[in-house]
Amino acid sequence: MRRPRRGAVPPTAAGTLAAMSEPVPSTPDVLEKLVSLCKQRGFFFGSSEIYGGINALYDYGPLGARMRRNVRNLWWRAMVESRDDVEPIETSIIMNPQVWVASGHVATFSDPLVDCTGTCRKRWRADHLGDLRRERGKPEDAPGCPECGGPLTKARQFNLMFRTHLGPVADDAAQVYLRPETAQGMFVNFATVVQAMRRRLPFGLAQLCKSFRNEISPSNSIFRTREFEQMEMEFFCKPGTDVEWHDYWCTERMRWWTEDCGVRGSRLRLRVHDKEELSHYSTATSDVEYLFPWGWGELEGVADRTDFDLRSHMKHSGRDLSYFDTETTERYVPFVIEPAAGLDRGCLTMLVDAYDEEEVRGEKRVVLRLHPDVAPWQVAVLPLSKKPQLTEVSRALAARLRTRFRTEHDETQSIGRRYRRQDEIGTPLAVTVDFDSLEDNAVTIRERDGMTQVRVPIEQLERACEDQLAACRASALKRARE
Ligand code: ATP
């Protein structure tokens, strides 16, 4: 849950488990270039743009939707499918409003807000003023509004939950909220799942779904939006074992970002919260942070939420959410470790981390060095020209490859432009069908990062792609660990 912000923390102040070679920040214009590329190539763009858009809401195009699906799958695989101690769950977006009273969101899920009374009249998060000034090239402690320098009002608290009404009567009794986090769905269903699944502790409940926050100052493209997707897991354990499990999940989550998603460890850190920064429910929290072009930003929080939520729901609902350990015959309220990550921020991180420009034979090449398991496509099949004798072969090959790999067939524009497009959207392999292919039954595989080319017999194509993708995964791992 939202904690008070205290500006960017310098890298040296970080507690860390991550590789900590001195990070090299990306140039500030990387985000601008990337956002424009993402729109042009169909990753993401402002929502309902034909009506002038709507602030801090985004739509994902065909490539973004594919990439998001891949990242979701990686998380699902790591957190649910590859484990025997985590169960999946999908809970509703609108819950009984008492849930948000018990969780503390009605009373405390708010940000301090200030208004500019000078020329720009903009509204800001009071705890973000330092960062906002820095982003605009001003000293963090400069007086007044970050934009125009005008006077600011005193801070007021603003609750971030979106409200709506259930049923036809729009009065206070029917007021409900769009959930601001998925976590509470797991807490309120804890006892039901224990019983239904005959679960013993420790075990986790994982959920990957949308959340909504009426952010005051959304910023940096899809980093902070008003509708976003969370990848959260609540791991219920015996009190006293929580410190150990918290360490375990910090390490495991850092591993996931680097090894499974290919994010460079040199740009990641695990920042331990000091006492004043901790949320009211937490005894220990560490944030996984990435060094974005504008500075360090949180991707995931790993919190020891103690028994706060379960106890609070017990108090407010009158239901018993304690756990009876049949082995030790003890009854207790479990402690909870929560790794909570953002899918949209995760995708932005992977895109920023992958963005690269280089000069090849006197020309600028833009390439997204995405991990092959994250990239929208794994293989692009490109006939050298649009001649029917080539496209017939290439389409059949694409159909064959599609059963094993995420495969695109692209026959528009010159082959040079098509390679450029595939580099820009991060496709690791391009298979080219040329006129010789009709004679020698072989095709050329071009690999994205090194631009190396090999000729392989068509009958061995699947095997060759498999090998090349394995090599891409190995080099992504090497890059992530550097
Ligand atoms: P922040 O301080 O950046 O607002 P938070 O500490 O409030 O984040 P949590 O409540 O811990 O965030 O949520 C877990 C994760 O959900 C965050 O690490 C982030 O990846 C994602 N997330 C939270 N708010 C947003 C948002 N407005 N837009 C996109 N992702 C978000």
Side-chain angles (χ1 to χ4, degrees), residues 1-2 95-110 159 161 177-188 213 234 279-282 305 307-317 321 338:
M1 198 200 291
R2 181 63 44 90
M95 303 172 81
N96 186 310
Q98 283 308 308
V99 169
W100 307 110
V101 175
S103 67
H105 283 80
V106 169
T108 63
F109 193 56
S110 54
N159 194 295
M161 284 197 290
Y177 304 96
L178 301 189
R179 70 173 167 216
E181 63 174 29
T182 64
Q184 299 304 323
M186 272 98 78
F187 295 125
V188 300
R213 293 181 189 179
E234 308 303 323
S279 308
H280 56 284
Y281 53 73
S282 179
R305 291 182 78 129
D307 55 2
F308 173 86
D309 301 88
L310 288 177
R311 279 199 188 279
S312 188
H313 286 303
M314 282 168 71
K315 194 170 132 207
H316 284 81
S317 68
L321 302 178
E338 173 195 78

Side-chain angles (χ1 to χ4, degrees), residues 74 95 154 199 235 244 261 266 308 330 447:
L74 286 173
M95 303 172 81
K154 274 204 176 136
R199 266 288 170 189
F235 195 78
E244 213 175 299
C261 304
S266 57
F308 173 86
E330 282 173 283
E447 179 268 333

Side-chain angles (χ1 to χ4, degrees), residues 27-89:
T27 53
D29 63 349
V30 161
L31 186 69
E32 219 169 287
K33 290 182 188 172
L34 183 76
V35 168
S36 141
L37 177 84
C38 284
K39 178 168 181 184
Q40 197 195 343
R41 295 299 188 198
F43 279 88
F44 61 82
F45 23 78
S47 170
S48 32
E49 276 187 345
I50 61 164
Y51 290 101
I54 176 163
N55 199 4
L57 293 160
Y58 288 84
D59 292 340
Y60 290 87
L63 296 190
R66 286 188 164 88
M67 178 174 167
R68 273 161 72 84
R69 176 70 48 204
N70 300 337
V71 177
R72 278 192 198 103
N73 289 346
L74 286 173
W75 187 85
W76 199 252
R77 171 114 203 85
M79 300 297 278
V80 180
E81 285 174 350
S82 66
R83 309 187 62 99
D84 65 0
D85 57 357
V86 177
E87 297 281 4
I89 189 164

Side-chain angles (χ1 to χ4, degrees), residues 177-235:
Y177 304 96
L178 301 189
R179 70 173 167 216
E181 63 174 29
T182 64
Q184 299 304 323
M186 272 98 78
F187 295 125
V188 300
N189 286 300
F190 165 73
T192 313
V193 173
V194 168
Q195 211 167 29
M197 305 306 292
R198 295 157 296 135
R199 266 288 170 189
R200 302 181 66 95
L201 257 55
F203 83 96
L205 277 177
Q207 163 150 251
L208 205 167
C209 285
K210 290 253 182 180
S211 289
F212 304 82
R213 293 181 189 179
N214 201 359
E215 296 280 358
I216 298 166
S217 42
S219 55
N220 296 320
S221 170
I222 55 171
F223 179 82
R224 185 179 302 288
T225 56
R226 292 189 167 126
E227 172 180 336
F228 55 97
E229 199 148 329
Q230 290 189 304
M231 309 185 283
E232 293 197 301
M233 199 268 289
E234 308 303 323
F235 195 78

Side-chain angles (χ1 to χ4, degrees), residues 122-134:
K122 284 196 173 156
R123 183 163 279 182
W124 309 100
R125 248 175 88 172
D127 54 336
H128 276 185
L129 289 173
D131 291 350
L132 292 161
R133 291 186 188 112
R134 193 161 33 82

